[in-house]
Amino acid sequence: AQSVTQPDIHITVSEGASLELRCNYSYGATPYLFWYVQSPGQGLQLLLKYFSGDTLVQGIKGFEAEFKRSQSSFNLRKPSVHWSDAAEYFCAVGPYNQGGKLIFGQGTELSVKP
Amino acid sequence: DVKVTQSSRYLVKRTGEKVFLECVQDMDHENMFWYRQDPGLGLRLIYFSYDVKMKEKGDIPEGYSVSREKKERFSLILESASTNQTSMYLCASTSHRASGGYSTYEQYFGPGTRLTVT
């Protein structure tokens, strides 16, 4: 079955520390992969996406993610976390039809300690 | 920039009321989506539409209907609101056509409507 798993429901890191959020997917072909961020009470904003080419993709706000086909993973990283990065992060995979349906993971909530 | 707007940020309705949530996008996108978001459950797809007057059920369509009379507008309808429909509702849009002849299928989201049914 097609699915997305974010194993960590909640992660706490210290400001200035590095961050890695995990995402594993199940998909029948080469996927389009996305990371979104949601600040409290807001909609989702796209951080980065992968659909072909270089497996290391750069996004906004200093985030990057690496597509590893052999591990069916698309982990999100940031070398130094800022307090403003505290938010919920969603990984998504698709599309499942021409309509562009995506499957979203359950999200990882990031807290940042001063 | 793509803009997706939703008619209300916060809404309080009574059980049994008919509720309309409106979503408008300004990028001429063919595809539009309605999700609900609940703690620990992520985003769950309610309905989506890939063209005017076309709709398809998502994962949790029960208790909801949709309407798409114009390309830019996608409405979610709760025919008779119930307390278990208290949630955050998110609208999104995307295009399966893009410059260069292919789409990357990224979805653009509205700010969300937090609906409380009492």
Side-chain angles (χ1 to χ4, degrees), chain B residues 56-73:
Chain B
E56 285 198 25
K57 293 179 181 179
D59 302 315
I60 52 164
E62 295 78 20
Y64 303 94
S65 62
V66 290
S67 172
R68 192 156 180 214
E69 297 296 319
K70 293 185 178 181
K71 191 174 186 180
E72 68 271 18
R73 187 180 300 269

Side-chain angles (χ1 to χ4, degrees), chain A residues 32 34 36 38 41-44 46 49 51 88 90 95 97-102 104-106, chain B residues 9 31 33 35 37 40 42-43 45 48 59 90 94 96 102-107 109-111:
Chain A
Y32 288 41
F34 308 85
Y36 285 86
Q38 184 182 35
Q42 303 297 316
L44 276 67
L46 182 71
K49 61 191 177 189
F51 53 96
E88 190 154 23
F90 291 92
N97 51 30
Q98 191 180 24
K101 180 181 170 184
L102 301 179
F104 286 83
Q106 292 185 321
Chain B
R9 294 298 305 274
N31 309 320
F33 306 82
Y35 297 91
Q37 182 181 15
L43 274 70
L45 182 64
F48 64 101
D59 302 315
L90 293 165
T94 190
H96 58 259
Y102 65 91
S103 172
T104 58
Y105 293 99
E106 63 188 88
Q107 293 186 9
F109 283 81

Side-chain angles (χ1 to χ4, degrees), chain B residues 67-99:
Chain B
S67 172
R68 192 156 180 214
E69 297 296 319
K70 293 185 178 181
K71 191 174 186 180
E72 68 271 18
R73 187 180 300 269
F74 191 35
S75 302
L76 179 69
I77 304 155
L78 288 65
E79 294 288 344
S80 177
S82 64
T83 54
N84 62 14
Q85 293 179 309
T86 291
S87 187
M88 174 73 131
Y89 290 87
L90 293 165
C91 175
S93 72
T94 190
S95 176
H96 58 259
R97 293 192 297 268
S99 60

Side-chain angles (χ1 to χ4, degrees), chain A:
Chain A
Q2 298 142 338
S3 64
V4 177
T5 301
Q6 293 179 245
D8 304 306
I9 296 172
H10 189 199
I11 284 182
T12 300
V13 300
S14 298
E15 191 168 15
S18 63
L19 171 70
E20 183 170 32
L21 302 182
R22 296 182 290 164
C23 174
N24 294 96
Y25 66 89
S26 172
Y27 190 76
T30 300
Y32 288 41
L33 292 156
F34 308 85
W35 274 100
Y36 285 86
V37 61
Q38 184 182 35
S39 298
Q42 303 297 316
L44 276 67
Q45 180 185 18
L46 182 71
L47 279 176
L48 48 77
K49 61 191 177 189
Y50 168 81
F51 53 96
S52 68
D54 193 345
T55 56
L56 184 64
V57 293
Q58 302 298 321
I60 62 171
K61 306 185 180 188
F63 285 91
E64 67 178 25
E66 187 171 13
F67 169 54
K68 293 186 177 180
R69 184 190 302 275
S70 61
Q71 298 177 21
S72 296
S73 69
F74 189 57
N75 294 348
L76 181 72
R77 300 194 294 249
K78 187 170 185 178
S80 178
V81 170
H82 188 263
W83 64 265
S84 60
D85 294 323
E88 190 154 23
Y89 293 79
F90 291 92
C91 180
V93 64
Y96 288 94
N97 51 30
Q98 191 180 24
K101 180 181 170 184
L102 301 179
I103 300 294
F104 286 83
Q106 292 185 321
T108 297
E109 185 177 356
L110 174 66
S111 297
V112 180
K113 291 190 301 186

